[in-house]
Amino acid sequence: MRISSFAVGESSVEWSQCRPPASVVMVDEELERLYSPSRWSKRFDATQVIQHHVKVVSTESEISKSSIPNEIGLRYGPRPAQQYDLYGGESLPQNAPLFVYIHGGYWQELDRNISAYCVRPLARCGIRVAIVGYTLAPAAPLEEIVEEIRCALQVILDQANLSGCQCVWVGGHSAGAHLALSALFGLKTEEQASTAGLQLLRGLILISGVYDLVPLIKTTVNTPLKLDEERAKALSPLVQLPGVRLAAWARRLHLLLAVGEHDSPAFIQQTQQLAQLLKGRVAEVEVLEVQGVDHFDIVENLRSDNHVLTKRLKELILDSKQH
């Protein structure tokens, strides 16, 4: 796990020291600002909001580990980071619904160990939670990271099917939202689309996601990613999805696209663009702009039963298990 300003621009610790000289990255200052979520918080300055975020999610994740039955470090692949943590254990029925969560960090920071902050409110109402880890850039290119998440979801969905799980929802924050969407909607073949595990999937909960990677090329986010325009377009759902014929299982999904009032305008715009792109192509597209929150507390507050996004997440999952 590395900690920076999440981008872009105002790094707080070692990350800034690891970057190459500025001349190596052709930075567009306006794009740098738009794709630096920490610069848009109304609560703290860019460094403080990151420090607070890491403190909150780390503390809550430790509480989850100590208070909710769990299996830590379940493997879905051979690489060290290819692990997930499963919360709920025998305290929940074998067929309990499952929420799979993928953390953010611009594909280069954070990890699953501090990403269990949504666990307690969900477990309290009977929902099992899987927190997925993955290899961070630059140790793996983004194409491989997407493939890791695809593999993780296949393993988790297959296991859910074997256990008699009633339904599965997949969610992600920021880069994790991109990974969830890219991994699942990249399943195009009939063989992939017809697995029993995928039939359990009811929807996606994508929070403050980035779905067009081309603008990132001219920001310092791209230093470890090393994207060029061709690769950025190939990895961008907003670019690729118009040409994709969605499989039957994907067309019946419910998508909740959440974004914070104080997210960057670029993140809000990309959320709106994705909603427009998918309306009429999936069963339902719901956009939720959460008032009074930024890119970070929109998920920090998932530790609270009273957070509007926590409430909606629980409603969606519990209602869908009846169908």
Side-chain angles (χ1 to χ4, degrees):
M1 177 184 70
R2 296 185 296 271
I3 304 300
S4 79
S5 70
F6 248 55
V8 217
E10 286 121 27
S11 300
S12 56
V13 288
E14 304 93 347
W15 185 240
S16 61
Q17 300 167 8
C18 298
R19 288 177 175 159
S23 59
V24 175
V25 179
M26 300 298 292
V27 173
D28 180 310
E29 290 301 332
E30 180 60 15
L31 290 175
E32 185 87 351
R33 187 176 72 91
L34 284 170
Y35 287 92
S36 297
S38 58
R39 298 190 187 188
W40 297 87
S41 173
K42 305 298 183 185
R43 300 178 295 150
F44 304 105
D45 67 28
T47 298
Q48 291 172 328
V49 74
I50 295 300
Q51 294 172 339
H52 181 77
H53 180 69
V54 172
K55 180 179 179 180
V56 168
V57 299
S58 298
T59 299
E60 180 61 27
S61 295
E62 286 304 313
I63 295 171
S64 295
K65 289 174 188 174
S66 64
S67 62
I68 304 296
N70 58 69
E71 298 173 81
I72 301 296
L74 298 172
R75 290 216 153 268
Y76 67 85
R79 287 181 171 177
Q82 291 178 330
Q83 301 179 52
Y84 68 97
D85 303 331
L86 189 61
Y87 289 84
E90 295 182 359
S91 67
L92 298 180
Q94 186 86 358
N95 67 345
L98 173 65
F99 178 59
V100 183
Y101 185 68
I102 305 164
H103 71 81
Y106 265 142
W107 311 278
Q108 59 200 269
E109 301 179 299
L110 308 179
D111 59 42
R112 75 181 206 285
N113 293 311
I114 63 167
S115 299
Y117 40 84
C118 64
V119 166
R120 288 198 298 157
L122 299 182
R124 281 194 288 262
C125 67
I127 300 168
R128 206 177 298 278
V129 183
I131 308 295
V132 180
Y134 52 90
T135 306
L136 302 177
L142 188 46
E143 292 86 349
E144 290 185 12
I145 297 173
V146 172
E147 190 58 38
E148 286 189 4
I149 296 301
R150 186 173 294 140
C151 178
L153 294 177
Q154 191 70 69
V155 168
I156 293 169
L157 285 166
D158 286 347
Q159 185 58 46
N161 181 59
L162 289 173
S163 69
C165 177
Q166 293 173 303
C167 65
V168 178
W169 286 70
V170 175
H173 173 234
S174 196
H178 165 272
L179 290 172
L181 185 64
S182 298
L184 284 169
F185 280 31
L187 295 174
K188 299 175 188 176
T189 71
E190 288 304 313
E191 180 181 355
Q192 289 173 314
S194 63
T195 64
L198 279 170
Q199 303 312 310
L200 293 175
L201 192 61
R202 298 291 182 268
L204 303 181
I205 297 170
L206 306 180
I207 308 168
S208 297
V210 55
Y211 310 110
D212 181 358
L213 278 54
V214 175
L216 299 180
I217 295 172
K218 293 185 178 181
T219 73
T220 50
V221 173
N222 197 34
T223 300
L225 300 177
K226 299 181 174 61
L227 296 175
D228 58 24
E229 186 171 355
E230 181 180 3
R231 290 179 60 220
K233 287 181 175 179
L235 288 159
S236 297
L238 283 176
V239 176
Q240 295 300 316
L241 280 175
V244 172
R245 183 182 182 277
L246 298 181
W249 64 266
R251 294 196 297 270
R252 59 175 172 73
L253 296 181
H254 183 127
L255 266 63
L256 172 62
L257 308 179
V259 68
E261 178 188 7
H262 303 308
D263 252 305
S264 155
F267 282 77
I268 295 171
Q269 181 183 45
Q270 289 203 17
T271 294
Q272 294 168 342
Q273 289 174 329
L274 183 64
Q276 289 300 315
L277 178 61
L278 290 175
K279 279 181 179 176
R281 300 180 67 191
V282 297
E284 188 169 353
V285 177
E286 175 184 352
V287 178
L288 176 61
E289 182 171 312
V290 183
Q291 298 302 299
V293 300
D294 56 41
H295 191 81
F296 304 97
D297 57 347
I298 192 173
V299 289
E300 292 168 10
N301 292 344
L302 289 174
R303 71 192 191 277
S304 168
D305 289 290
N306 295 321
H307 182 36
V308 62
L309 185 54
T310 308
K311 290 179 178 179
R312 187 63 185 130
L313 197 157
K314 290 191 291 186
E315 288 170 355
L316 287 169
I317 297 173
L318 294 176
D319 286 350
S320 70
K321 76 176 186 177
Q322 307 298 331
H323 300 96

